[in-house]
Coordinates of all heavy atoms in Angstrom, one line a residue:
I1 N 0.9 -1.2 0.0 CA 0.0 0.0 0.0 C 0.9 1.2 0.0 O 1.7 1.4 0.9 CB -0.9 0.0 1.2 CG1 -1.9 -1.2 1.1 CG2 -1.7 1.3 1.3 CD1 -2.7 -1.4 2.3
V2 N 0.7 2.1 -1.0 CA 1.6 3.2 -1.2 C 1.0 4.5 -0.5 O 1.7 5.2 0.1 CB 1.8 3.5 -2.7 CG1 2.6 4.7 -2.9 CG2 2.4 2.3 -3.4
D3 N -0.4 4.6 -0.6 CA -1.0 5.8 -0.1 C -2.5 5.6 0.0 O -3.0 4.6 -0.6 CB -0.8 7.0 -1.1 CG -1.0 8.3 -0.4 OD1 -1.2 8.4 0.8 OD2 -1.1 9.3 -1.2
Y4 N -3.2 6.4 0.8 CA -4.6 6.3 1.0 C -5.1 7.7 1.3 O -4.4 8.5 1.9 CB -5.0 5.3 2.0 CG -4.4 5.5 3.4 CD1 -5.0 6.3 4.3 CD2 -3.1 4.9 3.7 CE1 -4.4 6.5 5.6 CE2 -2.6 5.1 4.9 CZ -3.2 5.9 5.9 OH -2.6 6.1 7.1
A5 N -6.4 7.9 1.0 CA -7.0 9.2 1.3 C -8.5 9.1 1.3 O -9.1 8.2 0.8 CB -6.6 10.2 0.2
V6 N -9.1 10.1 2.0 CA -10.5 10.3 2.1 C -10.8 11.6 1.4 O -10.2 12.6 1.8 CB -11.1 10.3 3.5 CG1 -12.6 10.5 3.6 CG2 -10.7 9.0 4.3
A7 N -11.7 11.6 0.4 CA -12.0 12.8 -0.3 C -13.1 13.6 0.4 O -13.9 13.1 1.1 CB -12.5 12.4 -1.7
P8 N -13.0 15.0 0.2 CA -14.0 15.8 0.8 C -15.3 15.9 0.1 O -16.1 16.9 0.2 CB -13.3 17.2 0.9 CG -12.4 17.1 -0.3 CD -11.9 15.7 -0.4
D9 N -15.6 14.9 -0.8 CA -16.8 15.0 -1.6 C -18.0 14.3 -1.0 O -19.0 14.1 -1.6 CB -16.5 14.3 -3.0 CG -16.2 12.8 -2.9 OD1 -16.1 12.3 -1.8 OD2 -16.1 12.2 -3.9
G10 N -17.8 13.8 0.2 CA -18.9 13.1 0.9 C -18.4 11.8 1.5 O -19.2 11.1 2.1
G11 N -17.2 11.5 1.2 CA -16.6 10.2 1.8 C -16.0 9.2 0.8 O -15.8 8.1 1.2
S12 N -15.7 9.6 -0.4 CA -15.0 8.7 -1.3 C -13.7 8.4 -0.7 O -13.1 9.2 0.0 CB -14.9 9.3 -2.7 OG -16.1 9.5 -3.3
L13 N -13.3 7.1 -1.0 CA -12.0 6.6 -0.5 C -11.1 6.3 -1.6 O -11.5 5.7 -2.6 CB -12.2 5.4 0.4 CG -13.1 5.5 1.6 CD1 -13.3 4.2 2.3 CD2 -12.6 6.5 2.6
A14 N -9.8 6.5 -1.5 CA -8.8 6.2 -2.5 C -7.7 5.3 -1.8 O -7.3 5.6 -0.7 CB -8.2 7.4 -3.1
L15 N -7.2 4.3 -2.5 CA -6.2 3.4 -2.0 C -5.2 3.2 -3.2 O -5.7 2.6 -4.2 CB -6.8 2.1 -1.5 CG -5.8 1.1 -0.9 CD1 -5.3 1.6 0.4 CD2 -6.5 -0.2 -0.7
S16 N -4.0 3.6 -3.0 CA -3.0 3.3 -4.0 C -2.1 2.2 -3.6 O -1.6 2.1 -2.5 CB -2.1 4.6 -4.3 OG -2.9 5.6 -4.7
V17 N -1.9 1.2 -4.5 CA -1.0 0.1 -4.2 C 0.0 -0.1 -5.3 O -0.2 0.3 -6.5 CB -1.9 -1.2 -4.1 CG1 -2.8 -1.2 -2.9 CG2 -2.6 -1.5 -5.4
E18 N 1.1 -0.6 -5.0 CA 2.2 -0.9 -5.9 C 1.9 -2.4 -6.4 O 1.9 -3.3 -5.6 CB 3.6 -0.8 -5.4 CG 4.6 -1.0 -6.4 CD 6.0 -0.7 -5.9 OE1 6.2 -0.1 -4.8 OE2 7.0 -1.2 -6.5
R19 N 1.8 -2.5 -7.7 CA 1.6 -3.8 -8.3 C 2.9 -4.6 -8.5 O 4.0 -4.0 -8.4 CB 0.9 -3.7 -9.7 CG -0.5 -3.0 -9.6 CD -1.0 -2.5 -10.9 NE -0.5 -3.2 -12.1 CZ -1.3 -3.6 -13.1 NH1 -2.6 -3.4 -13.0 NH2 -0.8 -4.1 -14.1
L20 N 2.8 -5.9 -8.8 CA 4.0 -6.7 -9.0 C 4.8 -6.2 -10.2 O 6.0 -6.4 -10.2 CB 3.6 -8.2 -9.2 CG 3.0 -8.8 -7.9 CD1 2.6 -10.2 -8.3 CD2 4.0 -8.9 -6.8
D21 N 4.1 -5.6 -11.2 CA 4.8 -5.1 -12.3 C 5.5 -3.7 -12.1 O 6.0 -3.1 -13.0 CB 3.9 -5.0 -13.6 CG 2.7 -4.1 -13.4 OD1 2.7 -3.4 -12.4 OD2 1.9 -4.1 -14.3
G22 N 5.4 -3.2 -10.9 CA 6.0 -1.9 -10.5 C 5.1 -0.7 -10.7 O 5.4 0.4 -10.2
K23 N 4.0 -0.9 -11.4 CA 3.0 0.3 -11.6 C 2.2 0.5 -10.3 O 2.0 -0.4 -9.5 CB 2.1 -0.1 -12.7 CG 2.7 -0.2 -14.1 CD 1.7 -0.5 -15.1 CE 2.3 -0.6 -16.5 NZ 1.3 -1.0 -17.5
T24 N 1.8 1.8 -10.1 CA 1.0 2.1 -9.0 C -0.5 2.2 -9.5 O -0.7 2.9 -10.5 CB 1.4 3.5 -8.4 OG1 2.7 3.4 -7.9 CG2 0.4 3.8 -7.3
E25 N -1.3 1.5 -8.9 CA -2.7 1.4 -9.3 C -3.6 2.0 -8.1 O -3.3 1.7 -7.0 CB -3.2 0.0 -9.5 CG -4.6 -0.1 -10.0 CD -5.0 -1.5 -10.6 OE1 -4.2 -2.4 -10.4 OE2 -6.0 -1.6 -11.2
C26 N -4.4 3.0 -8.5 CA -5.3 3.6 -7.5 C -6.7 3.1 -7.6 O -7.3 3.1 -8.7 CB -5.2 5.1 -7.6 SG -6.2 6.0 -6.4
F27 N -7.3 2.6 -6.5 CA -8.7 2.2 -6.5 C -9.4 3.3 -5.7 O -9.0 3.8 -4.7 CB -8.8 0.9 -5.7 CG -8.0 -0.2 -6.4 CD1 -6.8 -0.6 -6.0 CD2 -8.5 -0.9 -7.6 CE1 -6.1 -1.7 -6.6 CE2 -7.8 -1.9 -8.2 CZ -6.6 -2.3 -7.7
V28 N -10.6 3.6 -6.2 CA -11.5 4.6 -5.6 C -12.9 4.1 -5.4 O -13.5 3.5 -6.3 CB -11.5 5.9 -6.5 CG1 -12.5 6.9 -5.8 CG2 -10.2 6.5 -6.7
I29 N -13.4 4.2 -4.1 CA -14.7 3.9 -3.8 C -15.5 5.2 -3.9 O -15.2 6.1 -3.2 CB -14.9 3.3 -2.4 CG1 -14.1 2.1 -2.2 CG2 -16.4 3.0 -2.2 CD1 -14.2 1.5 -0.7
N30 N -16.4 5.2 -4.9 CA -17.2 6.5 -5.1 C -18.3 6.6 -4.1 O -19.3 5.8 -4.1 CB -17.8 6.4 -6.5 CG -18.6 7.7 -6.8 OD1 -18.7 8.6 -6.0 ND2 -19.1 7.8 -8.0
R31 N -18.2 7.5 -3.2 CA -19.2 7.8 -2.1 C -19.5 9.2 -2.1 O -19.9 9.8 -1.0 CB -18.7 7.3 -0.8 CG -18.6 5.8 -0.7 CD -18.3 5.3 0.7 NE -18.3 3.8 0.6 CZ -17.6 3.1 1.5 NH1 -16.9 3.7 2.4 NH2 -17.5 1.8 1.4
S32 N -19.4 9.9 -3.2 CA -19.6 11.3 -3.3 C -21.1 11.6 -3.0 O -22.0 10.8 -3.3 CB -19.2 11.9 -4.6 OG -20.0 11.4 -5.6
F33 N -21.4 12.8 -2.6 CA -22.8 13.2 -2.4 C -23.5 13.1 -3.7 O -24.7 12.7 -3.8 CB -22.9 14.7 -1.9 CG -22.4 14.8 -0.4 CD1 -21.5 15.7 -0.1 CD2 -23.0 14.0 0.6 CE1 -21.0 15.8 1.2 CE2 -22.6 14.2 1.9 CZ -21.6 15.1 2.2
A34 N -22.9 13.5 -4.8 CA -23.5 13.6 -6.1 C -23.9 12.2 -6.6 O -24.8 12.0 -7.5 CB -22.6 14.2 -7.1
S35 N -23.2 11.1 -6.2 CA -23.5 9.8 -6.7 C -24.5 9.0 -5.9 O -25.0 8.0 -6.3 CB -22.2 9.0 -6.7 OG -21.7 8.6 -5.4
R36 N -24.9 9.6 -4.7 CA -25.9 8.9 -3.8 C -27.2 8.7 -4.6 O -27.7 9.6 -5.3 CB -26.1 9.7 -2.6 CG -24.8 9.6 -1.7 CD -25.1 10.0 -0.3 NE -23.8 9.9 0.4 CZ -23.5 10.5 1.5 NH1 -24.4 11.2 2.1 NH2 -22.3 10.3 2.1
G37 N -27.7 7.5 -4.5 CA -28.9 7.1 -5.2 C -28.8 6.7 -6.6 O -29.7 6.5 -7.3
T38 N -27.5 6.7 -7.1 CA -27.2 6.3 -8.5 C -26.5 4.9 -8.4 O -25.9 4.5 -7.4 CB -26.4 7.3 -9.2 OG1 -25.0 7.2 -8.7 CG2 -26.9 8.7 -9.1
P39 N -26.4 4.2 -9.6 CA -25.7 3.0 -9.6 C -24.2 3.1 -9.4 O -23.5 2.2 -9.1 CB -25.9 2.5 -11.1 CG -27.1 3.2 -11.5 CD -27.2 4.5 -10.8
D40 N -23.6 4.4 -9.5 CA -22.2 4.6 -9.3 C -21.8 4.7 -7.9 O -20.6 4.6 -7.5 CB -21.8 5.9 -10.0 CG -21.8 5.8 -11.5 OD1 -21.6 4.7 -12.0 OD2 -21.9 6.8 -12.2
Y41 N -22.8 4.8 -7.0 CA -22.5 5.0 -5.6 C -21.9 3.7 -5.0 O -22.4 2.6 -5.2 CB -23.7 5.4 -4.8 CG -23.4 5.6 -3.3 CD1 -22.8 6.8 -2.9 CD2 -23.8 4.6 -2.3 CE1 -22.5 7.0 -1.5 CE2 -23.5 4.8 -1.0 CZ -22.8 6.0 -0.6 OH -22.5 6.2 0.7
N42 N -20.9 3.8 -4.2 CA -20.2 2.7 -3.5 C -19.6 1.7 -4.5 O -19.5 0.5 -4.2 CB -21.2 2.0 -2.6 CG -20.4 1.4 -1.4 OD1 -19.5 2.0 -0.9 ND2 -20.8 0.2 -1.0
V43 N -19.2 2.1 -5.7 CA -18.5 1.3 -6.7 C -17.1 1.6 -6.7 O -16.6 2.7 -6.6 CB -19.2 1.5 -8.1 CG1 -18.4 0.9 -9.2 CG2 -20.6 1.1 -8.1
V44 N -16.3 0.5 -6.8 CA -14.8 0.7 -6.8 C -14.4 0.7 -8.3 O -14.8 -0.1 -9.1 CB -14.1 -0.5 -6.1 CG1 -12.6 -0.3 -6.2 CG2 -14.5 -0.6 -4.7
R45 N -13.6 1.7 -8.6 CA -13.0 1.8 -9.9 C -11.4 1.9 -9.8 O -10.9 2.2 -8.8 CB -13.5 3.1 -10.6 CG -15.0 3.1 -10.9 CD -15.3 4.2 -11.9 NE -16.8 4.4 -12.0 CZ -17.6 3.6 -12.7 NH1 -17.1 2.6 -13.3 NH2 -18.9 3.8 -12.7
S46 N -10.8 1.5 -10.9 CA -9.3 1.5 -10.9 C -8.9 2.6 -11.9 O -9.6 2.9 -12.9 CB -8.8 0.2 -11.4 OG -7.5 0.3 -11.8
T47 N -7.7 3.2 -11.6 CA -7.2 4.2 -12.6 C -6.5 3.6 -13.8 O -6.2 4.3 -14.8 CB -6.1 5.1 -11.8 OG1 -5.1 4.2 -11.3 CG2 -6.8 5.9 -10.8
L48 N -6.3 2.2 -13.8 CA -5.6 1.6 -14.8 C -6.5 0.7 -15.7 O -6.1 0.4 -16.8 CB -4.5 0.7 -14.3 CG -3.3 1.5 -13.6 CD1 -2.3 0.5 -13.1 CD2 -2.7 2.5 -14.5
R49 N -7.6 0.3 -15.2 CA -8.4 -0.7 -16.0 C -9.8 -0.8 -15.4 O -10.1 -0.3 -14.4 CB -7.8 -2.1 -15.8 CG -7.7 -2.5 -14.3 CD -6.8 -3.7 -14.1 NE -6.4 -3.8 -12.7 CZ -6.4 -4.9 -12.0 NH1 -6.9 -6.0 -12.6 NH2 -6.0 -5.0 -10.8
S50 N -10.7 -1.4 -16.2 CA -12.0 -1.7 -15.7 C -11.9 -3.0 -14.9 O -11.0 -3.8 -15.1 CB -13.0 -1.9 -16.9 OG -12.6 -3.0 -17.7
L51 N -12.8 -3.2 -13.9 CA -12.7 -4.3 -13.0 C -13.8 -5.3 -13.2 O -15.0 -4.9 -13.1 CB -12.7 -3.8 -11.6 CG -11.6 -2.8 -11.1 CD1 -11.9 -2.3 -9.7 CD2 -10.3 -3.5 -11.2
S52 N -13.5 -6.5 -13.6 CA -14.5 -7.6 -13.7 C -14.9 -8.1 -12.4 O -14.2 -7.8 -11.3 CB -13.9 -8.7 -14.6 OG -12.9 -9.4 -13.9
Q53 N -15.9 -8.9 -12.3 CA -16.3 -9.5 -11.1 C -15.2 -10.4 -10.5 O -14.9 -10.3 -9.3 CB -17.5 -10.4 -11.4 CG -18.1 -11.1 -10.2 CD -19.3 -12.0 -10.6 OE1 -19.7 -12.1 -11.8 NE2 -19.9 -12.6 -9.7
N54 N -14.5 -11.1 -11.3 CA -13.4 -12.0 -10.8 C -12.3 -11.1 -10.3 O -11.6 -11.5 -9.3 CB -12.9 -13.0 -11.9 CG -14.0 -14.0 -12.2 OD1 -14.9 -14.3 -11.3 ND2 -13.9 -14.6 -13.3
E55 N -12.0 -10.0 -11.0 CA -10.9 -9.2 -10.5 C -11.2 -8.5 -9.2 O -10.3 -8.4 -8.4 CB -10.6 -8.1 -11.6 CG -9.9 -8.7 -12.8 CD -9.8 -7.7 -13.9 OE1 -10.7 -7.0 -14.2 OE2 -8.7 -7.7 -14.6
C56 N -12.4 -8.1 -9.0 CA -12.8 -7.6 -7.7 C -12.5 -8.6 -6.6 O -12.0 -8.2 -5.5 CB -14.3 -7.1 -7.7 SG -14.6 -5.7 -8.7
E57 N -12.9 -9.8 -6.8 CA -12.7 -10.8 -5.8 C -11.2 -11.1 -5.5 O -10.8 -11.2 -4.4 CB -13.4 -12.1 -6.2 CG -13.3 -13.3 -5.2 CD -14.1 -13.0 -3.9 OE1 -15.1 -12.3 -4.0 OE2 -13.7 -13.5 -2.9
E58 N -10.5 -11.1 -6.6 CA -9.0 -11.3 -6.5 C -8.3 -10.2 -5.8 O -7.5 -10.4 -4.9 CB -8.4 -11.5 -8.0 CG -7.0 -11.8 -8.0 CD -6.4 -11.9 -9.4 OE1 -7.2 -12.3 -10.3 OE2 -5.3 -11.5 -9.6
I59 N -8.7 -9.0 -6.1 CA -8.1 -7.8 -5.5 C -8.4 -7.8 -4.0 O -7.6 -7.5 -3.1 CB -8.5 -6.5 -6.1 CG1 -8.0 -6.4 -7.6 CG2 -8.1 -5.3 -5.3 CD1 -8.6 -5.4 -8.4
A60 N -9.7 -8.1 -3.7 CA -10.1 -8.2 -2.3 C -9.3 -9.2 -1.5 O -8.9 -9.0 -0.4 CB -11.6 -8.5 -2.2
N61 N -9.0 -10.4 -2.1 CA -8.2 -11.4 -1.5 C -6.8 -11.0 -1.2 O -6.2 -11.2 -0.2 CB -8.3 -12.7 -2.3 CG -9.6 -13.4 -2.2 OD1 -10.4 -13.2 -1.3 ND2 -9.9 -14.1 -3.3
H62 N -6.2 -10.3 -2.2 CA -4.8 -9.7 -2.1 C -4.8 -8.7 -0.9 O -3.9 -8.7 -0.1 CB -4.3 -9.1 -3.4 CG -3.9 -10.1 -4.4 ND1 -2.9 -11.0 -4.2 CD2 -4.5 -10.4 -5.6 CE1 -2.8 -11.8 -5.3 NE2 -3.7 -11.5 -6.1
L63 N -5.8 -7.8 -0.9 CA -5.8 -6.8 0.1 C -6.1 -7.4 1.5 O -5.5 -6.9 2.5 CB -6.9 -5.8 -0.2 CG -6.7 -4.8 -1.3 CD1 -7.9 -3.9 -1.6 CD2 -5.5 -3.9 -1.1
D64 N -6.8 -8.5 1.5 CA -7.0 -9.1 2.8 C -5.7 -9.6 3.4 O -5.5 -9.5 4.6 CB -8.0 -10.3 2.6 CG -8.7 -10.8 3.8 OD1 -8.8 -9.9 4.8 OD2 -9.2 -11.9 3.8
R65 N -4.8 -10.1 2.6 CA -3.5 -10.5 3.1 C -2.7 -9.3 3.5 O -1.9 -9.3 4.5 CB -2.7 -11.3 2.0 CG -3.3 -12.7 1.9 CD -2.6 -13.5 0.9 NE -3.5 -13.6 -0.2 CZ -3.2 -13.7 -1.5 NH1 -2.0 -13.9 -1.8 NH2 -4.2 -13.8 -2.4
L66 N -2.8 -8.1 2.8 CA -2.1 -6.9 3.2 C -2.6 -6.2 4.4 O -1.9 -5.5 5.1 CB -2.1 -5.9 2.0 CG -1.3 -6.3 0.8 CD1 -1.6 -5.2 -0.3 CD2 0.2 -6.3 1.1
A67 N -3.9 -6.5 4.7 CA -4.5 -5.8 5.8 C -3.9 -6.0 7.1 O -3.9 -5.2 8.0 CB -6.0 -6.1 5.9
V68 N -3.3 -7.2 7.3 CA -2.6 -7.5 8.5 C -1.4 -6.6 8.7 O -1.1 -6.2 9.8 CB -2.1 -9.0 8.4 CG1 -1.3 -9.4 9.7 CG2 -3.3 -9.9 8.3
E69 N -0.7 -6.2 7.6 CA 0.5 -5.4 7.7 C 0.1 -3.9 7.6 O 1.0 -3.1 7.9 CB 1.4 -5.7 6.5 CG 1.8 -7.1 6.4 CD 2.4 -7.5 5.1 OE1 2.8 -6.5 4.3 OE2 2.5 -8.6 4.7
A70 N -1.1 -3.5 7.2 CA -1.4 -2.1 6.9 C -1.5 -1.3 8.2 O -2.0 -1.8 9.2 CB -2.7 -2.1 6.1
T71 N -1.2 -0.1 8.1 CA -1.3 0.9 9.2 C -2.7 1.4 9.2 O -3.2 2.0 10.2 CB -0.3 2.0 9.1 OG1 -0.5 2.7 7.8 CG2 1.1 1.5 9.2
S72 N -3.5 1.3 8.1 CA -4.8 1.8 7.9 C -5.8 0.7 7.7 O -6.5 0.6 6.8 CB -4.9 2.8 6.8 OG -4.5 2.1 5.6
I73 N -5.8 -0.2 8.7 CA -6.6 -1.5 8.6 C -8.1 -1.2 8.3 O -8.7 -1.9 7.5 CB -6.4 -2.3 9.8 CG1 -5.0 -2.8 9.9 CG2 -7.4 -3.5 9.9 CD1 -4.6 -3.5 11.1
D74 N -8.7 -0.2 8.9 CA -10.1 0.1 8.7 C -10.4 0.4 7.3 O -11.3 0.0 6.7 CB -10.6 1.2 9.6 CG -10.7 0.7 11.1 OD1 -10.7 -0.5 11.4 OD2 -10.7 1.6 12.0
L75 N -9.5 1.3 6.7 CA -9.7 1.7 5.3 C -9.5 0.5 4.4 O -10.3 0.3 3.5 CB -8.7 2.8 4.9 CG -8.8 3.3 3.5 CD1 -9.5 4.6 3.5 CD2 -7.4 3.4 2.9
V76 N -8.5 -0.3 4.6 CA -8.3 -1.5 3.8 C -9.5 -2.5 3.9 O -10.0 -3.0 2.9 CB -7.0 -2.2 4.1 CG1 -6.8 -3.5 3.3 CG2 -5.8 -1.3 3.8
A77 N -10.0 -2.7 5.1 CA -11.1 -3.5 5.4 C -12.4 -3.0 4.6 O -13.2 -3.8 4.1 CB -11.4 -3.6 6.8
D78 N -12.5 -1.7 4.5 CA -13.6 -1.1 3.8 C -13.5 -1.4 2.3 O -14.5 -1.8 1.7 CB -13.7 0.4 4.0 CG -15.0 1.0 3.8 OD1 -16.0 0.3 3.5 OD2 -15.2 2.2 4.0
F79 N -12.3 -1.4 1.8 CA -12.1 -1.7 0.3 C -12.4 -3.2 0.1 O -13.0 -3.6 -0.9 CB -10.7 -1.4 -0.1 CG -10.6 0.0 -0.7 CD1 -10.3 1.1 0.1 CD2 -10.8 0.2 -2.0 CE1 -10.2 2.4 -0.4 CE2 -10.7 1.5 -2.6 CZ -10.4 2.6 -1.7
I80 N -12.0 -4.0 1.0 CA -12.2 -5.5 0.9 C -13.7 -5.8 0.8 O -14.2 -6.5 0.0 CB -11.5 -6.3 2.0 CG1 -10.0 -6.2 1.9 CG2 -11.9 -7.7 2.0 CD1 -9.2 -6.6 3.1
K81 N -14.4 -5.2 1.8 CA -15.9 -5.4 1.9 C -16.6 -4.9 0.6 O -17.4 -5.6 0.1 CB -16.4 -4.7 3.1 CG -17.9 -4.8 3.3 CD -18.3 -4.1 4.6 CE -19.4 -3.1 4.3 NZ -19.7 -2.3 5.4
T82 N -16.2 -3.7 0.1 CA -16.8 -3.1 -1.0 C -16.5 -3.9 -2.3 O -17.4 -4.2 -3.2 CB -16.4 -1.7 -1.2 OG1 -16.8 -1.0 0.0 CG2 -17.2 -1.0 -2.3
L83 N -15.3 -4.3 -2.5 CA -14.9 -5.1 -3.6 C -15.6 -6.5 -3.6 O -16.1 -6.9 -4.7 CB -13.4 -5.4 -3.6 CG -12.5 -4.2 -4.1 CD1 -11.1 -4.4 -3.7 CD2 -12.6 -4.1 -5.6
K84 N -15.7 -7.1 -2.5 CA -16.4 -8.4 -2.4 C -17.9 -8.2 -2.8 O -18.5 -9.0 -3.5 CB -16.3 -9.1 -1.1 CG -14.9 -9.6 -0.9 CD -14.7 -10.4 0.4 CE -13.3 -11.0 0.5 NZ -13.1 -11.8 1.7
A85 N -18.5 -7.2 -2.3 CA -19.9 -6.9 -2.7 C -20.1 -6.6 -4.1 O -21.0 -7.1 -4.8 CB -20.4 -5.7 -1.9
Q86 N -19.1 -5.9 -4.7 CA -19.1 -5.6 -6.1 C -18.9 -6.9 -7.0 O -19.6 -7.0 -8.0 CB -18.1 -4.6 -6.5 CG -18.1 -4.0 -7.9 CD -17.2 -2.8 -8.0 OE1 -17.1 -1.9 -7.2 NE2 -16.4 -2.8 -9.1
S87 N -18.1 -7.8 -6.5 CA -17.8 -9.0 -7.2 C -19.1 -9.9 -7.3 O -19.3 -10.6 -8.2 CB -16.6 -9.8 -6.7 OG -17.0 -10.4 -5.4
S88 N -19.9 -9.8 -6.2 CA -21.1 -10.6 -6.2 C -22.2 -10.1 -7.0 O -23.2 -10.8 -7.3 CB -21.6 -10.8 -4.7 OG -22.0 -9.6 -4.2
K89 N -22.1 -8.8 -7.5 CA -23.1 -8.2 -8.3 C -23.0 -8.6 -9.8 O -23.9 -8.5 -10.5 CB -23.1 -6.7 -8.3 CG -23.5 -6.1 -6.9 CD -23.4 -4.6 -7.0 CE -23.7 -4.0 -5.6 NZ -23.5 -2.5 -5.6
G90 N -21.8 -9.1 -10.1 CA -21.6 -9.6 -11.5 C -21.6 -8.6 -12.5 O -21.9 -8.8 -13.7
Q91 N -21.1 -7.4 -12.2 CA -21.0 -6.3 -13.2 C -19.5 -5.9 -13.4 O -18.8 -5.9 -12.4 CB -21.8 -5.1 -12.8 CG -21.4 -4.5 -11.5 CD -22.3 -3.4 -11.0 OE1 -23.5 -3.4 -11.3 NE2 -21.8 -2.4 -10.3
N92 N -19.2 -5.6 -14.6 CA -17.9 -5.0 -14.9 C -17.9 -3.5 -14.8 O -18.9 -2.9 -15.3 CB -17.4 -5.4 -16.3 CG -17.1 -6.9 -16.4 OD1 -17.0 -7.6 -15.4 ND2 -16.9 -7.3 -17.6
I93 N -17.0 -2.9 -14.1 CA -16.9 -1.5 -13.9 C -15.6 -1.0 -14.5 O -14.6 -1.5 -14.3 CB -17.0 -1.1 -12.4 CG1 -18.3 -1.7 -11.8 CG2 -17.0 0.4 -12.2 CD1 -19.6 -1.2 -12.3

């Protein structure tokens, strides 16, 4: 985990991780006031790619292993929970 932040838009969360290929990928949970009541609310997006149902589950599993080492365990746990929920919806984002 490289960095994390909470946005002043109503509670969106950002989590940047270093991938095995050396690239930094940022995941954002959209919790902005503007997105409430829309299908975009509480959806995780990546800055590098669209996320399939399987990729959400895979990322959640990787983060679950990192959560033990993370200094921001609550934030990582929130990403894990949201990614798992997104993976069960069966939609690509």
Side-chain angles (χ1 to χ4, degrees):
I1 296 174
V2 178
D3 197 12
Y4 54 92
V6 178
D9 66 353
S12 294
L13 302 174
L15 181 71
S16 296
V17 296
E18 185 175 341
R19 297 167 23 136
L20 293 175
D21 62 6
K23 293 181 182 177
T24 299
E25 185 168 11
C26 183
F27 299 101
V28 176
I29 302 175
N30 183 0
R31 293 190 179 151
S32 69
F33 290 125
S35 71
R36 290 192 180 165
T38 72
D40 289 334
Y41 183 77
N42 210 39
V43 170
V44 180
R45 296 196 190 280
S46 165
T47 56
L48 296 180
R49 58 193 163 133
S50 62
L51 300 174
S52 70
Q53 180 179 3
N54 291 338
E55 287 172 318
C56 288
E57 183 70 28
E58 182 181 327
I59 294 164
N61 290 335
H62 286 294
L63 287 175
D64 204 17
R65 284 179 254 156
L66 288 175
V68 176
E69 307 166 14
T71 57
S72 57
I73 292 173
D74 290 340
L75 181 102
V76 175
D78 204 359
F79 269 90
I80 293 166
K81 180 178 126 188
T82 305
L83 282 161
K84 287 184 177 184
Q86 187 169 317
S87 73
S88 68
K89 290 180 185 176
Q91 61 187 28
N92 292 346
I93 303 296

